């Protein structure tokens, strides 16, 4: 018994308590600079949309921005919960479904109110083929920063954590991209922005178990 006590004492002798908000600080240090890098990439490569002063007066611009921002916020909150060994996704998928359903309702209303001849533009716009991939590209720095933070945590479900981290990064990348994108069709946003976000989520599901392994 004495030897057991000595072994336990030797294992815990140099342990120090973790600061109360260490996990929050780690996530902030990983995510915020990465988001700043994505914004710089957007400004340096494609730049802000050319009609930005007019775009800021359009409700559709702010709805598009809010859609991505709400998904990102919900996903990052879930990432924080999942980063603990006893963590869960915290009803993230319920919130994600609610946000998606609200956007689908907005898209349906826009289609109902629009002339039939504009449906193609509202759904496909002029950038459907490259929109998801640009979102994916802008999301990569945020995904890398999120994984960097999570490697200092202890998530238990690595695939789920990677997937949600990818969704968070994808939504952040989509929010960055929205400041360049000139598409005003809500069906376009619902389909092609969501596809870009899911691409990053798929990346997280595939790479999470390897990158987050203890």
């Amino acid at each position: 018994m004495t030897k057991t006590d000595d072994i336990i004492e030797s294992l815990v002798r140099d342990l120090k308590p973790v600061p109360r908000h260490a996990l929050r600080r780690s996530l902030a240090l990983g995510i915020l600079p990465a988001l700043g890098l994505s914004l710089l990439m957007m400004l340096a490569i494609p730049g802000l949309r050319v009609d930005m002063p007019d775009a800021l007066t359009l409700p559709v611009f702010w709805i598009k921005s809010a859609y991505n921002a709400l998904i990102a916020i919900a996903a990052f909150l879930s990432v924080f919960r999942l980063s603990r060994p006893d963590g869960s996704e915290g009803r993230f998928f319920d919130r994600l479904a609610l946000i998606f359903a609200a956007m689908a309702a907005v898209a349906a209303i826009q289609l109902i109110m629009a002339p039939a001849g504009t449906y193609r533009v509202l759904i496909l716009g002029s950038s459907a083929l490259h929109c998801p991939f640009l979102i994916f590209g802008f999301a990569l720095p945020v995904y890398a920063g999120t994984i960097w933070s999570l490697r200092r945590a202890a998530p238990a479900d690595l695939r789920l954590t990677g997937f949600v981290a990818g969704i968070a990064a994808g939504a952040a990348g989509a929010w960055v991209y929205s400041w360049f994108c000139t598409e005003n069709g809500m069906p376009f946003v619902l389909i092609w922005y969501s596809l870009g976000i899911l691409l990053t989520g798929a990346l997280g599901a595939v790479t999470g178990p390897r990158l987050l392994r203890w």
Side-chain angles (χ1 to χ4, degrees):
M1 188 67 179
T2 303
K3 289 184 178 180
T4 302
D5 292 341
D6 291 341
I7 292 172
I8 294 174
E9 175 64 25
S10 66
L11 289 173
V12 302
R13 184 180 300 124
D14 297 324
L15 290 180
K16 297 179 181 179
V18 177
R20 183 176 181 183
H21 300 296
L23 183 55
R24 288 189 179 91
R25 283 198 293 269
S26 177
L27 286 170
L29 285 173
I31 294 166
L32 294 180
L35 180 60
L37 177 58
S38 290
L39 285 166
L40 286 175
M41 287 170 56
M42 181 272 295
L43 292 172
I45 302 172
L48 290 173
R49 57 186 290 175
V50 294
D51 61 341
M52 183 56 71
D54 294 329
L56 293 175
T57 67
L58 300 175
V60 289
F61 173 82
W62 294 109
I63 293 171
K64 175 169 59 175
S65 181
Y67 175 64
N68 301 307
L70 288 172
I71 293 176
I73 291 169
F76 279 126
L77 289 174
S78 182
V79 166
F80 176 75
R81 293 175 62 93
L82 286 166
S83 63
R84 302 173 182 274
D86 60 344
S88 68
E89 46 88 15
R91 299 184 65 186
F92 164 68
F93 292 101
D94 293 341
R95 295 186 179 96
L96 183 63
L98 182 61
I99 296 167
F100 185 86
M103 190 62 184
V106 172
I109 291 170
Q110 189 182 42
L111 283 174
I112 291 170
M113 297 180 64
T118 64
Y119 285 2
R120 181 179 177 83
V121 173
L122 291 175
I123 295 171
L124 296 177
S126 61
S127 58
L129 292 179
H130 60 258
C131 167
F133 301 104
L134 286 173
I135 287 173
F136 182 82
F138 288 127
L140 287 178
V142 183
Y143 180 66
T146 306
I147 292 297
W148 178 86
S149 298
L150 287 172
R151 285 176 63 86
R152 287 155 175 75
D157 191 332
L158 304 186
R159 191 171 300 279
L160 176 61
T161 303
F163 176 73
V164 177
I167 293 293
W175 178 80
V176 170
Y177 175 73
S178 71
W179 291 85
F180 155 74
C181 176
T182 58
E183 306 289 356
N184 292 320
M186 297 299 96
F188 179 96
V189 174
L190 182 70
I191 297 169
W192 304 106
Y193 273 57
S194 299
L195 179 57
I197 294 169
L198 283 174
L199 283 175
T200 321
L203 173 69
V206 171
T207 61
R210 293 187 178 184
L211 298 177
L212 300 176
R213 187 179 303 158
W214 292 16

